[in-house]
Amino acid sequence: MKTASSDGIYDVIIIGGGATGAGTARDCALRGLKVLLIERHDIATGATGRNHGLLHSGARYAVTDTESARECISENMILKKIARHCVERTDGLFLTLPEDDLGYQDKFVQACRASGIEAEILDPEEALRMEPSANPDIIGAVKVPDGSVDPFRLTSANVIDAKLHGAQILVYNEVTDFIFDKDRIVGVKVLDHVTGEKSCRYGDVIVNAAGIWGAGIAEKAGTKINMFPAKGSLLIFGHRVNNVVLNRCRKPANADILVPGDTICVIGTTSDRVPYDQIDDMRVTPEEVDILLSEGQKLAPCLASTRIIRAYAGVRPLVAVDDDPSGRNISRGIVLLDHETRDGIKGFISITGGKLMTYRLMAELATDLVCKKLGVTAKCVTAEVPLPGSKNESPEEISDKLSSVYANPMRASAGRHGDMASSISHGNEYDLSLVCECEDVSLGEVEYALENLDVNNLVDLRRRTRVGMGTCQGELCACRAAGLLANTKKCVADAKADLRRFMNERWKGMYPVSWGETLRENEYTLWVYAGVCGMNGHASSKTEKEAENEI
Amino acid sequence: MRYDTIIIGGGLSGLVCGIRLQKAGQKCCIVSSGQSALHFSSGCFDFLDRLEDGTVPGNLAECLVSLPESHPYSKIGAETAKKYMGEVPEFFAGCGVRLCGNPYRNSYRMTPMGDMCPTWLSLEDFPLAGEPDAKVADRALVVNIFGYLDFNTAFVADALERNGTVCRVISVRIDEMERLRMNPSEMRATNIARVMDRPEVCGKFIAAVSEELRGEDTIILPAVFGLASDEVLPKIRSSFSADVRFVATMPPSVPGIRTQMKLRKAFEHAGGVYLLGDTVNGAEMSGDKVLSISTSNFGDYRLHADNYVLASGSFFSKGLVAVPDKIYEPVFGLDVDYAGDRKEWYDTDLFSPQNYISFGVATSRDFRPFKDGKPVSNLYAVGSVLSGTNALNEGSGAGTAILTAFRTADLILGRVDSSKAGQSLK
């Protein structure tokens, strides 16, 4: 079985390409380890890419979970330094509505301050001046240092830096089994979903960073992590109605956070326990949509008349500690398991629990344990060393430097790639042709992503560049991007099949909210793709459908 | 202002209905809020591309009797529908729009993906094939305009090569086109067509392509020629020894917009009034009759007519409006056929039949819509605002638009006994 050449043996193999896995790969690589990261889909496809994109100040957890609150504010300040191009300093407001208990506000402010989170009580009028979209009926408001973070950019930047430091990244590769040598795990069996090839990869330490899927990984290793899958649904609106994160000042509940991000805003979440066998097929129900809409309007009444772009859902990787069915009263704390001491399995650790906000800290803790096992003494530097994209100038400075007559696509790509945007070719008019009008994605940026950012298909391309993420959800840009993909991959049949998958993946988020403008948009899309392009009629096979569901 | 007939909606159905009425001596007004489905047309008219079991009907007239009674074609009646099908090419020729194809049979068109799809009649840009796997050429030169992203040469060439055509792909750079790039979103079909309409630019393009020809028997071009000018298409066709074929692009559709402009011109030439950029926002009713309508631009000044035709399209054109708990018709508040449960509106697979496309206003057999369960006596509904057909899935959008427009015009003109409408069906 051991066919791998010298490059098949690693110090550490990380399973999972979410923020935690990517962060761990970066940390390990920066400490000089030989790293392999294995992800069964694309990077940032699990819970990493399916949340609010909220740069928590920790205030939300201040009353109920001090430990999480402290971790959040500390990581909040670190990310503002090391990932400038991924975060936006918006600040946040915790609003008290007439139906809420104003008495909670004092408790909240004290708890914030005890955890080191700046919390300033504002007069309702002042709060409304700061955020005019907020419900004018508020009876109280507290300002905290919340912000927003783009999880795709953040994960991508970690992957890029890991690769710059020698890590190898395998996307669309799934760990099917572990390779044991007595009581020690020495490697993994891997299935390449693109080529269908199977291989073995060997490493001294294996890190399970697979989020909710980590329970399945642990099972393959012969142990059990009692995970608690809690589904959270969210809605994206087509306008950025608020510039400040809006929260409800009460015990955490459904749909009580509205986060602005780029040109949109996101309301969420719901929280429902789901069976483990459904975690690959998260669909938003009409009932969840109705809850999100009615609660969201209490934060910002104008949401009632704002176009909804899509609905999506993620699964929180919570580790069960009690039987609370709502999934809210358990700590969002970080869980690091050394399976050698816990289960007698050497060479295997799991890093789970936690949240997007604490991915870096989770990576640091996991890497510390890996280093301890390997006898490596290098210290963690990820809290100080900026990520690629934030190393030099700020996105604003970059876009000023790059801008000429064609300002918009330049600014947009600088916003997305930070100081890496200078590698994007905008040398001639051809490179500046727009592929995606909604998001100002130029042909040069698409080609940069296709060549440099491990893009296998159109959905991957969307995560790197925002192609197809705008108001029209891929109406024209999908077809253009498919043409460019066909040229790069030299395979037209694949590009056409991929276009179909991409359009279906967009629809998955649209049908739960298919009325009003969203339905109009879809009718137009259908007349273009099913009508003019003739893509209707051939219903996808069952296996194809299942593959689409996993995206 | 008083008219014989006011038509709400200036797309294919509204214009065809208006032209037929106006040419028969009526005084008509069309209120159009703007663009129509012709603006993203494939350049071909579909009549019935697929039966429910997915098969492509060859003889269209014969399969009409198998359609359900609620289908607009069934309401017209098979014999009348067949008569109308035969009239279509001449009707459009009379408006300056030349159609190709057999009005009683399905042919095949090439899609922007390069695939062959069934269709009925095509605009002159697009020659039709009798069989889906017909070989288009022995050797083809596939030509794009440099920087134009809405014509996928790789897709087209790949499909042609699968049927045995040897392809060479080139892109041609024309200086005048480069000016469009001063704004990076300007390389779109209509903008290119506008520049190509200038004889000197078109001449340059022809010269550039001629220089590249290496004995190919066919030239494949994106359909971005001849927007306002009638000379461009014939000139391109006659300038090469090779055959010239056009392939539909992603929207906007140059042939579709040209057709829209020609139909509007024909309507106005016949004396019709076309109010562009106005929206009907209300109606005054008395009993089972419409008395007048109001529009955004005219405000309190109401428009009156003996008869009214609702040709307002479906959701995209705002002829129908969907809100979370219902679907309604916004002008008259007509009865709409739709599923009450929102989950029944859609299929989770995008390319499977979507129920909502078949939703529309309910009508009697003579296309009189119902309001509160009773037919409105001087109002008719035509085209995609109608229920009874999933126009996208069965490929019947243009056929339904044209035939229901013919039928309604004839009903208004008293050319048919409306009490016998649809009686000839079985």
Side-chain angles (χ1 to χ4, degrees):
Chain A
M1 284 296 271
K2 194 161 178 172
T3 54
S5 56
S6 61
D7 67 348
I9 298 171
Y10 300 89
D11 293 326
V12 56
I13 296 176
I14 297 150
I15 305 169
T20 306
T24 307
R26 179 193 188 221
D27 199 340
C28 287
L30 286 176
R31 294 198 219 184
L33 303 183
K34 195 165 181 224
V35 179
L36 173 68
L37 184 147
I38 302 173
E39 162 58 47
R40 66 175 189 150
H41 292 313
D42 184 26
I43 58 163
T45 42
T48 295
R50 293 163 180 276
N51 53 66
H52 268 111
L54 170 59
L55 187 77
H56 274 286
S57 60
R60 183 172 173 81
Y61 307 114
V63 174
T64 53
D65 182 353
T66 316
E67 189 190 347
S68 284
R70 291 214 169 102
E71 286 166 1
C72 279
I73 189 62
S74 154
E75 292 300 309
N76 175 303
M77 294 193 284
I78 291 171
L79 289 180
K80 281 173 181 169
K81 278 190 309 198
I82 67 159
R84 279 185 300 170
H85 75 293
C86 308
V87 308
E88 200 184 334
R89 296 159 179 256
T90 63
D91 284 338
L93 287 172
F94 275 73
L95 306 176
T96 307
L97 295 183
E99 67 192 79
D100 302 329
D101 171 20
L102 190 57
Y104 188 81
Q105 196 186 65
D106 280 339
K107 198 169 151 192
F108 171 76
V109 170
Q110 277 168 23
C112 282
R113 289 175 183 159
S115 297
I117 304 160
E118 276 179 53
E120 182 190 347
I121 296 178
L122 300 183
D123 180 67
E125 272 180 36
E126 196 184 343
L128 286 168
R129 270 197 300 278
M130 181 179 163
E131 182 45 64
S133 74
N135 191 333
D137 297 335
I138 51 170
I139 54 171
V142 182
K143 183 180 151 194
V144 298
D146 281 347
S148 70
V149 55
D150 185 319
F152 302 110
R153 263 172 235 172
L154 185 64
T155 310
S156 183
N158 275 282
V159 165
I160 289 167
D161 209 28
K163 284 167 77 176
L164 284 174
H165 291 86
Q168 198 188 339
I169 312 290
L170 286 181
V171 287
Y172 294 98
N173 275 261
E174 184 165 1
V175 170
T176 55
D177 212 346
F178 286 94
I179 303 165
F180 279 86
D181 180 7
K182 298 189 190 105
D183 58 350
R184 171 176 290 277
I185 290 180
V186 294
V188 290
K189 294 181 184 173
V190 180
L191 170 66
D192 185 325
H193 284 296
V194 177
T195 63
E197 283 166 20
K198 291 175 182 172
S199 64
C200 294
R201 306 279 173 161
Y202 296 88
D204 293 333
V205 182
I206 315 291
V207 180
N208 172 14
I212 191 67
W213 292 272
I217 296 289
E219 232 164 77
K220 287 194 175 91
T223 180
K224 188 168 169 59
I225 306 175
N226 198 13
M227 299 287 263
F228 191 115
K231 172 190 179 192
S233 296
L234 306 99
L235 299 179
I236 309 176
F237 291 85
H239 297 281
R240 182 182 169 114
V241 305
N242 54 327
N243 275 318
V244 175
V245 177
L246 295 179
N247 304 261
R248 284 285 280 280
C249 194
R250 62 174 185 193
K251 253 184 105 179
N254 276 332
D256 54 1
I257 311 180
L258 181 68
V259 182
D262 281 344
T263 56
I264 53 103
C265 61
V266 177
I267 185 77
T269 70
T270 57
S271 184
D272 292 290
R273 187 169 186 173
V274 288
Y276 193 79
D277 61 9
Q278 283 178 20
I279 58 173
D280 280 327
D281 189 18
M282 280 300 107
R283 286 165 189 271
V284 181
T285 65
E287 295 74 26
E288 287 167 332
V289 170
D290 292 342
I291 291 174
L292 289 167
L293 271 177
S294 61
E295 288 298 309
Q297 286 163 32
K298 292 180 186 169
L299 286 171
C302 63
L303 290 181
S305 55
T306 304
R307 173 173 177 177
I308 309 167
I309 296 214
R310 58 191 285 117
Y312 62 104
V315 184
R316 300 178 180 91
L318 305 181
V319 182
V321 290
D322 61 32
D323 289 328
D324 170 35
S326 80
R328 279 224 160 76
N329 289 328
I330 56 174
S331 167
R332 308 294 169 96
I334 297 166
V335 178
L336 176 66
L337 303 174
D338 182 346
H339 294 288
E340 180 175 351
T341 52
R342 182 180 183 256
D343 312 300
I345 305 169
K346 290 179 182 157
F348 183 49
I349 70 170
S350 289
I351 178 75
T352 187
K355 52 184 83 61
L356 175 65
M357 260 321 278
T358 55
Y359 89 93
R360 193 212 58 82
L361 178 60
M362 293 166 75
E364 178 177 344
L365 295 172
T367 307
D368 284 348
L369 184 55
V370 170
C371 287
K372 193 175 137 200
K373 285 185 179 291
L374 294 172
V376 172
T377 54
K379 289 275 169 286
C380 178
V381 293
T382 57
E384 291 87 35
V385 179
L387 285 160
S390 292
K391 286 199 181 298
N392 303 307
E393 303 97 325
S394 70
E396 294 75 28
E397 288 162 335
I398 292 285
S399 78
D400 285 349
K401 206 165 81 180
L402 293 175
S403 296
S404 58
V405 262
Y406 310 108
N408 285 342
M410 294 279 199
R411 292 231 165 86
S413 60
R416 283 186 283 268
H417 304 282
D419 56 35
M420 293 179 288
S422 46
S423 326
I424 296 173
S425 171
H426 280 143
N428 60 42
E429 307 93 327
Y430 186 64
D431 293 327
L432 275 161
S433 303
L434 275 189
V435 176
C436 174
E437 280 115 330
C438 297
E439 297 287 335
D440 266 333
V441 185
S442 69
L443 197 140
E445 185 175 344
V446 167
E447 293 196 328
Y448 163 78
L450 287 173
E451 278 160 28
N452 300 298
L453 301 178
D454 299 309
V455 171
N456 274 286
N457 54 50
L458 293 171
V459 179
D460 296 359
L461 182 67
R462 170 177 68 73
R463 286 190 203 98
R464 308 293 188 281
T465 64
R466 294 190 69 83
V467 155
M469 269 182 166
T471 326
C472 82
Q473 294 284 291
E475 219 146 60
L476 298 173
C477 62
C479 195
R480 291 178 195 140
L484 298 170
L485 189 72
N487 293 341
T488 309
K489 303 276 175 201
K490 306 256 179 275
C491 184
V492 167
D494 285 358
K496 280 189 188 176
D498 195 35
L499 177 59
R500 221 185 149 80
R501 269 197 303 277
F502 181 83
M503 297 311 291
N504 241 325
E505 187 270 346
R506 295 286 81 192
W507 177 232
K508 184 180 174 185
M510 291 171 82
Y511 68 71
V513 291
S514 55
W515 65 80
E517 299 297 306
T518 308
L519 193 76
R520 290 184 66 215
E521 196 79 59
N522 182 249
E523 192 185 25
Y524 179 55
T525 300
L526 277 177
W527 278 107
V528 172
Y529 283 91
V532 176
C533 295
M535 284 166 68
N536 63 344
H538 327 279
S540 13
S541 66
K542 194 163 174 288
T543 42
E544 225 176 275
K545 271 191 180 172
E546 280 165 3
E548 282 165 13
N549 288 345
E550 286 177 14
I551 298 168
Chain B
M1 192 77 74
R2 185 153 198 104
Y3 297 94
D4 293 324
T5 302
I6 292 174
I7 297 162
I8 302 162
L12 182 59
S13 202
L15 277 163
V16 167
C17 187
I19 292 166
R20 198 167 172 100
L21 288 169
Q22 195 72 38
K23 284 194 170 172
Q26 278 217 338
K27 190 178 163 197
C28 295
C29 169
I30 292 177
V31 187
S32 168
S33 59
Q35 301 186 350
S36 77
L38 281 170
H39 287 244
F40 48 91
S41 148
S42 66
C44 295
F45 292 156
D46 292 348
F47 186 87
L48 189 62
D49 295 348
R50 271 170 301 275
L51 299 174
E52 201 147 352
D53 62 5
T55 56
V56 178
N59 187 322
L60 292 168
E62 271 174 17
C63 66
L64 289 176
V65 288
S66 67
L67 296 173
E69 268 189 44
S70 56
H71 197 286
Y73 292 157
S74 301
K75 288 180 178 174
I76 292 169
E79 267 174 46
T80 313
K82 195 177 167 190
K83 178 172 85 81
Y84 286 161
M85 288 159 84
E87 289 176 25
V88 169
E90 200 188 322
F91 176 91
F92 279 86
C95 305
V97 179
R98 207 166 69 84
L99 297 178
C100 312
N102 180 334
Y104 305 107
R105 298 198 68 83
N106 265 322
S107 302
Y108 289 85
R109 68 179 166 100
M110 187 185 284
T111 70
M113 298 283 120
D115 304 319
M116 298 302 275
C117 260
T119 194
W120 180 39
L121 299 167
S122 71
L123 301 176
E124 60 180 320
D125 314 44
F126 308 102
L128 295 172
E131 299 299 327
D133 50 1
K135 189 173 168 183
V136 170
D138 287 325
R139 288 174 62 202
L141 182 66
V142 183
V143 184
N144 198 8
I145 288 143
F146 183 75
Y148 179 53
L149 298 177
D150 291 333
F151 176 57
N152 252 315
T153 49
F155 289 179
V156 172
D158 180 73
L160 289 173
E161 283 178 342
R162 264 186 282 125
N163 284 337
T165 302
V166 179
C167 290
R168 196 156 61 86
V169 178
I170 61 163
S171 83
V172 171
R173 201 168 182 143
I174 309 279
D175 287 344
E176 282 81 354
M177 217 56 78
E178 297 302 302
R179 271 179 222 137
L180 291 178
R181 296 176 186 286
M182 294 310 287
N183 178 337
S185 63
E186 289 295 287
M187 279 304 269
R188 299 293 173 255
T190 36
N191 295 341
I192 295 172
R194 229 168 258 133
V195 178
M196 284 289 187
D197 273 354
R198 283 155 51 195
E200 75 279 11
V201 180
C202 185
K204 271 193 189 178
F205 177 78
I206 289 168
V209 176
S210 299
E211 210 167 286
E212 287 283 349
L213 264 179
R214 305 277 183 273
E216 283 88 356
D217 55 279
T218 302
I219 301 169
I220 311 265
L221 299 176
V224 294
F225 297 89
L227 186 65
S229 161
D230 284 338
E231 276 123 52
V232 173
L233 286 181
K235 187 172 168 195
I236 287 186
R237 283 222 182 77
S238 61
S239 296
F240 302 106
S241 52
D243 274 348
V244 179
R245 285 173 158 264
F246 297 92
V247 175
T249 65
M250 297 302 277
S253 163
V254 169
I257 294 170
R258 184 203 311 135
T259 305
Q260 168 100 25
M261 294 194 300
K262 291 215 183 262
L263 292 176
R264 180 184 162 187
K265 222 179 194 172
F267 174 69
E268 289 178 326
H269 189 71
V273 173
Y274 193 88
L275 301 175
L276 182 62
D278 201 358
T279 305
V280 177
N281 56 16
E284 183 191 3
M285 312 261 314
S286 169
D288 69 345
K289 274 182 84 99
V290 180
L291 297 181
S292 69
I293 55 161
S294 58
T295 76
S296 309
N297 290 356
F298 284 100
D300 292 340
Y301 186 85
R302 306 189 73 85
L303 303 180
H304 299 263
D306 296 334
N307 288 293
Y308 298 82
V309 177
L310 185 69
S312 50
S314 62
F315 302 94
F316 183 70
S317 306
K318 298 186 184 170
L320 299 169
V321 177
V323 289
D325 57 343
K326 66 172 180 182
I327 288 171
Y328 64 93
E329 185 284 308
V331 177
F332 301 97
L334 301 172
D335 298 353
V336 176
D337 286 332
Y338 71 98
D341 182 354
R342 201 164 80 212
K343 278 187 204 147
E344 301 294 315
W345 295 3
Y346 53 80
D347 189 291
T348 57
D349 175 49
L350 177 64
F351 296 105
S352 292
Q354 297 292 342
N355 261 345
Y356 78 84
I357 303 268
S358 65
F359 298 162
V361 301
T363 73
S364 66
R365 297 187 71 81
D366 52 2
F367 297 102
R368 286 193 171 91
F370 294 96
K371 185 173 165 66
D372 305 323
K374 294 183 203 106
V376 184
S377 64
N378 63 340
L379 175 65
Y380 299 83
V382 296
S384 58
V385 75
L386 291 169
S387 65
T389 162
N390 189 318
L392 183 63
N393 188 50
E394 65 177 25
S396 63
T400 302
I402 296 167
L403 263 63
T404 56
F406 276 11
R407 180 64 173 176
T408 296
D410 287 356
L411 286 164
I412 290 172
L413 293 167
R415 287 180 180 170
V416 283
D417 181 352
S418 68
S419 66
K420 286 190 186 156
Q423 293 299 306
S424 56
L425 181 64
K426 295 250 162 91

